[in-house]
Amino acid sequence: MEAPALEVVDTDLLILGGGMAGCGAAFEAGYWGRDKGLRVTLVEKAAVERSGAVAMGLSAINCYMGMRHGENQPEDFVRYVRNDLMGLCREDLVYDIARHVDSTVHMFEKWGLPIFKTEDGRYKREGRWQIMIHGESYKPIVAEAAKKAIGAENVYERLFVSHVLTDEATGRATGAVAFSVREHKVYVFRARAVISSAGGATGVFRPHAVGEGLGRIWYAPWNTGSAYSLAIKAGATMTQMEHRLVVTRFKDGYGPVGMWFLLFKGKVKNAYGELYEDTQQKAIAPYAPYDKVRPIPTPLRNHQMLTDRAEGRGPHYMRTDEALQALTMGLDPKAVREIESDAWEDFLDMTMSQALLWASQNIDPAKVPSELTLTEPYLMGSHSSATGAWVSGPEDLARDGYFWGYNRMTTVPGLFAAGDGVGGSAHKFSSGSYTEGRLAAKGAISYMTDNPGSFEHDPARVEEITGELFQPYRVFEEAHGSSTKEDINPNYFYPKQGLHRLQKIMDEYCAGVGANYITNEPTLRRGMELMEVFKEDMAKVAARDRHELLRCWELRDRIWCAEAHMRHILHREETRWPGYYYRMDHPKIDDENWKVFVNSRFDAGNGGWKMSTHPCHTLVP
Ligand SMILES: Cc1cc2nc3c(=O)[nH]c(=O)nc-3n(C[C@H](O)[C@H](O)[C@H](O)COP(=O)(O)OP(=O)(O)OC[C@H]3O[C@@H](n4cnc5c(N)ncnc54)[C@H](O)[C@@H]3O)c2cc1C
C-alpha cells in the first residue's frame, strides 16, 4: 500500500462533527472567538449541509419552552425530563439547556426557518414541548450560519475523525486525527481545545429488518457512535451508558408516532380494540412512584405494550382511521385536505419509507389502522435517552462534584462534549443539541483563555495511528489471493460481516429485540467473552476500497459503544427502565441503592475499565 499523504492543520478550537451540536458550537465560537483572533475549525465526515440525525428530515422542533409567552419554565422541563428518565438526570445540565433553548429557536426563525404560527403569532405547538416547522431547509440553514461564523475554509468535510490526541504529560486534548473518505490522505489537527459532537449510535443491535431490509432502522444509520468512542478512547469518564432508547414506531416503515398522538389525538389499541395503557396500568404499578407520573415515562409505556403482547393481545395498532375520521367529521373537503396533507408531510419530511410502505401494502391511513412495534435499542444522549460523557455543569447550577471549571468539559482537560455526546440529560433534541454546542463553545473559549499554550504531537503516535487506520487495506492486499472467491476467505472478513456479528452478540446477550429486551449477569458475562474474541478478530477486518475503510472504522466505533453499554448494564444491579431492558436477576427498581449515576472510564494504559457510581442531586423540587 502506498503511504497516504499527510496534512497538518493548526487551529485553536477544533469541533468534531458538524451536526446540530457542532454547528451550534461553530456559530457561538465564531462569535466569541472573533475578537480574540481565534481560529475555529470544524471536521465532518459527510457534508455539513445535509449531515447528522437531522438529515433524516424533521417536521418539528421538539425542545422549545416558550418562556416569552409564559408557556413553560425551565423548572417544568426539568421535572418532565426527570420523570421520563425515572428519577435519574443531571438537572443542572437540563436546566441549562432549558433556559437558553428559546433564544436558539428564535435565531433559527430569523435565519429563515419556516415555523408554523397560530393566528395570534405564537409558534404552533404539536405537544407541550414541540413546535411545528417545515423541516426541509432546517439543516442547510443551520449549516450556512456555521460556515459564515467560522469561514467556509475552516470547514473540512468528508473526513472521518478516528482519534482525539492528548498531551502525554498533562492529559490535555490537543487535536485529532482524521482520514479522508475521498482521497488517500490523513489529516492531523493541532488545537488548544476540542469539542466532540460526533453523534449517537445506531446499528449496535440487530434491527427488526435484516437481509433485504438491512439499514431500515429508525435513528440515522450513519450515526455510528463516534461521539462516544472518541471520548472513551481519550480516557473521558462516561455516564449512563447503560441507558438506551427503544421507541414505539410504525412497524417496518419506522414512521414517527408523535404527531399522531399529540396533534391528531390518535389512540393505540390492541388486537381486541382495548387501550393497552388502560388495561396494563397494573403492569406498571410495581414501578411506583413513576407509574403515577403523567405523561407515563417512555420505558413504562413500552413495558405496557410488551406485557400486553406477552399476554397474547397483540398486534397493536395506531388507529389512524379513527383519528382522521374524528378530526375531519363535518368539515368541508378543503379543510379535510389540509389535515391530510399535514399528516402526510410528517412522513414525507421524515420517513419517506413509511409513505412507500403504506403505498406498497395498500394502506390508506384514513381508512385502515397501522401496526406499531417497539424498535431495537439505540444509544444517544439527545433524544429521550441519556448516554454520553460525564461533563462539568454550569458554575451557577452545578452541585457537589458536578463542576470542574468549564461548562460541558469532560474529565479530559480541554475536551468538551455536546448533543448526543453528553450523558445524563435527555430530551434536548435538535434545538437543545444546538444550544448545548453553543454552551460548550463558550466553555471551551474560556478554557483556552485561561490555559494558553500550544502543542506538538508525538510523531511516533501519529505514525502508529496512521498505521492502524489503513490496516484493513493491508489485510485485504495480503490475503485476497488465498482463496478462489474474494468474499470467502479464511484470512479476513468484511465490515458488513463484522456488523452482523456485533449485532448478533448484542441482540442475544445484551437484551435486544430477539431476547425480548431481557438479560442477566451470566448472559452479559457470556456476551462479554464473545465480544473479547470478536475484538481480537477485528485485526482481520478487511477493506477493498475507501467506502469499506470507512465502514471498518464505523464498526470499531460501534464496538466501543457496545462494550460500554454491556459493562454499564452489568454494573447497575436493578431494572430501572423496564421496557428498555430487563435485568431479570434484579427485576425491580431499587431507588435505595441505585438512584445514582453509573460512570465508567477506559484506561488506554492497561486496557481496563473502571466502573463507579456518582450521587444524583436534585435541583428542582
Ligand atoms: C429519525 C429522527 C427523528 C428526529 N426527530 C426530531 C424532531 O422531530 N425534532 C427534533 O427537534 N429533533 C429530532 N431528532 C433529534 C435530533 O436530530 C438530534 O437530537 C440532533 O441531531 C443531535 O445532534 P448532534 O449534533 O448530537 O448529532 P448529529 O446532528 O447527528 O450530528 C453528528 C455529526 O457528526 C458527524 N460525524 C459522526 N461521526 C463522525 C466522525 N467520526 N468524524 C467526523 N464527523 C462525524 C455526523 O456526520 C454528523 O454530522 C430526530 C432524530 C432522528 C434520527
Side-chain angles (χ1 to χ4, degrees):
M1 188 198 77
E2 228 179 89
L6 176 71
E7 185 169 334
V8 178
V9 179
D10 282 319
T11 188
D12 292 298
L13 176 61
L14 180 65
I15 302 169
L16 310 179
M20 288 307 286
C23 286
F27 172 77
E28 196 73 17
Y31 180 83
W32 295 102
R34 205 169 300 133
D35 287 349
K36 296 178 191 289
L38 298 177
R39 183 174 174 196
V40 183
T41 301
L42 189 154
V43 191
E44 164 59 47
K45 76 170 175 181
V48 178
E49 202 177 45
R50 289 279 176 207
S51 71
V54 160
M56 294 290 280
L58 304 182
S59 52
I61 284 178
N62 283 353
C63 182
Y64 178 73
M65 303 298 114
M67 283 186 277
R68 65 183 170 184
H69 296 298
E71 291 170 340
N72 293 292
Q73 296 305 324
E75 289 77 5
D76 304 322
F77 188 63
V78 169
R79 286 187 201 103
Y80 162 68
V81 174
R82 182 173 64 204
N83 283 336
D84 201 55
L85 293 176
M86 298 187 61
L88 267 186
C89 81
R90 279 282 302 272
E91 296 186 20
D92 57 329
L93 303 179
V94 177
Y95 192 100
D96 202 23
I97 300 270
R99 65 180 168 179
H100 293 296
V101 72
D102 285 6
S103 74
T104 289
V105 175
H106 301 158
M107 284 193 326
F108 292 162
E109 187 183 20
K110 204 169 88 193
W111 296 338
L113 179 69
I115 304 184
F116 285 62
K117 293 271 181 66
T118 59
E119 275 170 13
D120 62 358
R122 294 187 187 195
Y123 295 152
K124 190 167 172 190
R125 286 208 176 265
E126 186 182 287
R128 180 166 182 186
W129 311 106
Q130 298 84 352
I131 56 171
M132 295 169 69
I133 61 170
H134 289 289
E136 299 86 346
S137 56
Y138 195 7
K139 191 68 205 302
I141 287 172
V142 163
E144 190 184 349
K147 285 187 177 170
K148 276 196 174 141
I150 63 171
E153 69 284 6
N154 293 316
V155 177
Y156 289 76
E157 298 183 320
R158 312 278 182 202
L159 302 191
F160 182 87
V161 181
S162 62
H163 294 76
V164 168
L165 291 168
T166 50
D167 178 56
E168 214 175 309
T170 59
R172 176 173 172 172
T174 56
V177 179
F179 67 88
S180 166
V181 302
R182 290 288 153 91
E183 299 170 276
H184 190 45
K185 191 167 177 184
V186 172
Y187 285 76
V188 175
F189 293 91
R190 287 194 292 219
R192 299 199 290 127
V194 179
I195 298 178
S196 167
S197 49
T202 63
V204 173
F205 282 83
R206 179 161 49 201
H208 282 288
V210 292
E212 51 89 29
L214 185 74
R216 194 151 21 101
I217 57 177
W218 166 68
Y219 213 72
W222 47 84
N223 276 21
T224 61
S226 289
Y228 309 132
S229 71
L230 289 169
I232 294 170
K233 286 188 283 183
T237 297
M238 307 300 289
T239 193
Q240 292 210 322
M241 291 302 289
E242 73 278 25
H243 201 252
R244 50 167 69 177
L245 184 57
V246 171
V247 273
T248 307
R249 286 292 175 266
F250 283 96
K251 185 165 183 300
D252 296 332
Y254 286 90
V257 292
M259 193 193 61
W260 286 95
F261 278 131
L262 300 170
L263 197 67
F264 297 154
K265 309 294 172 215
K267 299 267 186 268
V268 180
K269 292 183 180 169
N270 64 24
Y272 300 97
E274 297 160 330
L275 293 167
Y276 73 91
E277 284 183 15
D278 292 347
T279 55
Q280 293 298 342
Q281 184 60 34
K282 63 179 190 311
I284 58 173
Y287 300 98
Y290 306 103
D291 60 327
K292 298 287 182 312
V293 164
R294 292 294 176 273
I296 301 174
T298 314
L300 289 187
R301 262 184 285 133
N302 290 355
H303 177 65
Q304 289 178 311
M305 188 186 275
L306 286 170
T307 313
D308 211 43
R309 203 163 74 184
E311 289 176 4
R313 313 190 76 74
H316 294 84
Y317 292 93
M318 172 65 83
R319 297 306 309 230
T320 55
D321 49 341
E322 293 174 2
L324 284 179
Q325 284 160 23
L327 270 175
T328 54
M329 197 181 299
L331 296 182
D332 64 64
K334 185 165 170 279
V336 170
R337 264 201 310 280
E338 266 174 29
I339 289 176
E340 283 182 354
S341 74
D342 273 358
W344 277 101
E345 182 175 329
D346 203 40
F347 289 93
L348 295 174
D349 264 4
M350 202 176 332
T351 326
M352 266 303 275
S353 54
Q354 184 64 50
L356 296 174
L357 196 88
W358 274 340
S360 73
Q361 295 183 351
N362 291 334
I363 290 176
D364 175 350
K367 299 194 180 115
V368 184
S370 277
E371 230 181 300
L372 296 185
T373 196
L374 293 174
T375 64
E376 56 284 346
Y378 304 99
L379 307 185
M380 62 199 59
S382 76
H383 208 281
S384 317
S385 63
T387 48
W390 179 249
V391 297
S392 170
E395 189 169 8
D396 61 330
L397 299 176
R399 290 283 191 273
D400 300 342
Y402 286 2
F403 178 70
W404 48 97
Y406 302 92
N407 199 0
R408 265 57 180 192
M409 189 165 84
T410 68
T411 53
V412 173
L415 178 63
F416 292 73
D420 275 326
V422 168
S425 60
H427 292 276
K428 302 166 216 178
F429 292 97
S430 59
S431 47
S433 298
Y434 190 93
T435 305
E436 193 160 51
R438 295 176 63 194
L439 295 166
K442 274 185 87 170
I445 286 183
S446 305
Y447 174 84
M448 287 190 288
T449 310
D450 295 348
N451 299 277
S454 60
F455 301 92
E456 287 304 321
H457 291 144
D458 175 7
R461 175 72 185 128
V462 172
E463 201 175 314
E464 187 192 350
I465 293 175
T466 308
E468 258 179 65
L469 285 178
F470 297 102
Q471 174 69 4
Y473 281 163
R474 280 191 292 274
V475 170
F476 181 73
E477 267 173 21
E478 280 163 22
H480 78 277
S482 64
S483 72
T484 51
K485 195 161 166 49
E486 264 183 12
D487 290 10
I488 304 166
N489 192 307
N491 301 303
Y492 60 70
F493 61 95
Y494 295 129
K496 189 168 177 181
Q497 293 166 311
L499 183 67
H500 288 308
R501 185 161 159 194
L502 171 71
Q503 293 181 342
K504 179 171 158 61
I505 295 173
M506 293 304 284
D507 185 55
E508 294 175 355
Y509 296 91
C510 195
V513 170
N516 225 6
Y517 309 102
I518 287 172
T519 189
N520 62 4
E521 181 178 339
T523 309
L524 288 163
R525 289 207 183 279
R526 178 69 189 130
M528 279 164 63
E529 282 168 12
L530 294 171
M531 193 70 92
E532 283 307 311
V533 181
F534 179 33
K535 276 161 47 190
E536 260 178 49
D537 289 351
M538 277 299 284
K540 295 288 176 197
V541 69
R544 285 167 286 196
D545 51 35
R546 236 164 251 139
H547 177 81
E548 269 183 349
L549 187 68
L550 174 67
R551 294 285 175 262
C552 289
W553 281 94
E554 290 179 336
L555 176 59
R556 285 193 183 279
D557 277 353
R558 289 178 161 125
I559 293 171
W560 281 104
C561 296
E563 180 165 8
H565 191 50
M566 267 196 181
R567 287 182 184 276
H568 275 242
I569 290 189
L570 185 62
H571 196 78
R572 177 177 288 286
E573 294 183 338
E574 65 162 353
T575 296
R576 176 153 296 261
W577 304 286
Y580 283 173
Y581 72 85
Y582 301 85
R583 272 285 306 258
M584 290 308 274
D585 44 351
H586 299 282
K588 294 195 177 132
I589 199 164
D590 178 1
D591 265 352
E592 203 179 313
N593 295 304
W594 287 101
K595 201 167 175 208
V596 287
F597 293 104
V598 170
N599 289 0
S600 65
R601 185 176 175 274
F602 172 72
D603 182 344
N606 59 24
W609 291 72
K610 190 166 179 293
M611 307 302 299
S612 59
T613 56
H614 203 289
C616 175
H617 302 305
T618 301
L619 181 71
V620 174

